[in-house]
């Protein structure tokens, strides 16, 4: 097993298969249905999920699973080849993936020219199916919950001036919504 995402149903990513796990109740409790028998996940840290969507990298490219059953090729060979040509194969253990639920992006950070952190981010906008590339040094991207809310008066506890704020003033980060926001650690561990 390479990874797992849960929710209304579970999706189990294996090296050479993908299985949907559905709650049945007693006596079986769960039912397991293979949704792919010759396709699996080759980079476990490329797995990210949001709602009924799950994203991952297989040995033949980037994929999206919709509704726990429909597997869609989102790499369209072009992005898949680009990734293969640039990703440092000796350091794929540094890869991390996350979801930006506000912008509707699946992001994959990977090392291209470095061996200690990721220096490139692939971003997939799932409503349009378009990809873009960012050059940014990150150690890890991940989804995080922000519980604390801030006012303009309490922002001073985070930074002395508006110019020093790490998030835009209109970001949901300051609202403390309890919803997921995309987060990252940069190469300076911040």
């Amino acid at each position: 097993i390479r990874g797992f995402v849960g929710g209304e149903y579970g999706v189990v990513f294996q090296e050479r298969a993908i299985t949907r796990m559905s709650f049945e109740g007693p006596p079986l409790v769960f039912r397991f249905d293979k949704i792919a028998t010759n396709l699996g996940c080759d980079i476990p840290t490329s797995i990210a999920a949001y709602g009924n969507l799950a994203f991952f990298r297989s040995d033949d490219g980037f994929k999206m699973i919709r509704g726990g059953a429909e597997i869609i090729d989102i790499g369209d060979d072009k992005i898949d080849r680009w990734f293969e040509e640039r990703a440092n194969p000796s350091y794929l253990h540094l890869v991390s993936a996350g979801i930006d639920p506000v912008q509707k992006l699946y992001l994959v950070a990977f090392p291209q020219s470095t061996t200690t952190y990721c220096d490139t981010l692939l971003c997939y906008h799932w409503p349009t199916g378009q990809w873009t590339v960012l050059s940014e040094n990150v150690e890890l991207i991940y989804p995080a919950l922000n519980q604390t809310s801030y006012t303009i008066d309490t922002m001073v506890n985070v930074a002395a001036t508006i110019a020093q704020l790490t998030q835009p003033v209109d970001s949901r980060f300051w609202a403390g919504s309890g919803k997921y926001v995309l987060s990252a650690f940069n190469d300076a561990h911040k």
Side-chain angles (χ1 to χ4, degrees):
I1 293 178
R2 310 288 281 179
F4 174 84
V5 296
E8 191 176 321
Y9 47 82
V11 178
V12 180
F13 295 90
Q14 297 157 278
E15 193 172 341
R16 291 276 166 234
I18 299 173
T19 304
R20 178 184 167 132
M21 188 171 94
S22 305
F23 180 72
E24 287 284 309
L28 299 177
V29 184
F30 290 102
R31 185 181 77 220
F32 295 89
D33 299 304
K34 292 238 172 156
I35 56 175
T37 55
N38 58 351
L39 176 72
C41 179
D42 70 338
I43 304 175
T45 52
S46 70
I47 299 170
Y50 180 73
N52 72 340
L53 302 174
F55 302 89
F56 68 102
R57 171 72 166 56
S58 74
D59 59 358
D60 68 339
F62 289 97
K63 309 286 184 197
M64 175 177 74
I65 299 176
R66 185 179 5 220
E70 180 185 11
I71 299 174
I72 301 164
D73 181 11
I74 61 173
D76 298 324
D77 290 329
K78 183 177 180 181
I79 293 297
D80 299 332
R81 279 193 312 273
W82 185 92
F83 179 82
E84 284 291 326
E85 291 168 1
R86 287 166 179 77
N88 189 332
S90 299
Y91 295 95
L92 292 179
H93 63 278
L94 297 174
V95 168
S96 65
I99 299 291
D100 181 343
V102 176
Q103 303 298 323
K104 297 182 176 15
L105 295 172
Y106 164 60
L107 294 97
V108 179
F110 67 94
Q112 186 173 187
S113 59
T114 180
T115 60
T116 55
Y117 54 83
C118 297
D119 57 357
T120 308
L121 282 92
L122 268 175
C123 308
Y124 175 72
H125 186 244
W126 66 80
T128 62
Q130 295 180 336
W131 288 88
T132 193
V133 178
L134 301 172
S135 292
E136 191 68 41
N137 296 340
V138 297
E139 289 182 314
L140 177 71
I141 57 176
Y142 62 97
L145 293 175
N146 182 20
Q147 299 295 332
T148 306
S149 61
Y150 294 87
T151 65
I152 201 74
D153 295 325
T154 59
M155 284 181 171
V156 73
N157 297 330
V158 176
T161 67
I162 288 180
Q164 293 174 327
L165 293 175
T166 58
Q167 300 288 325
V169 177
D170 62 347
S171 169
R172 75 161 52 170
F173 173 84
W174 304 110
S177 62
K179 295 184 180 178
Y180 283 109
V181 292
L182 181 67
S183 302
F185 283 101
N186 65 16
D187 58 338
H189 316 298
K190 295 183 180 179

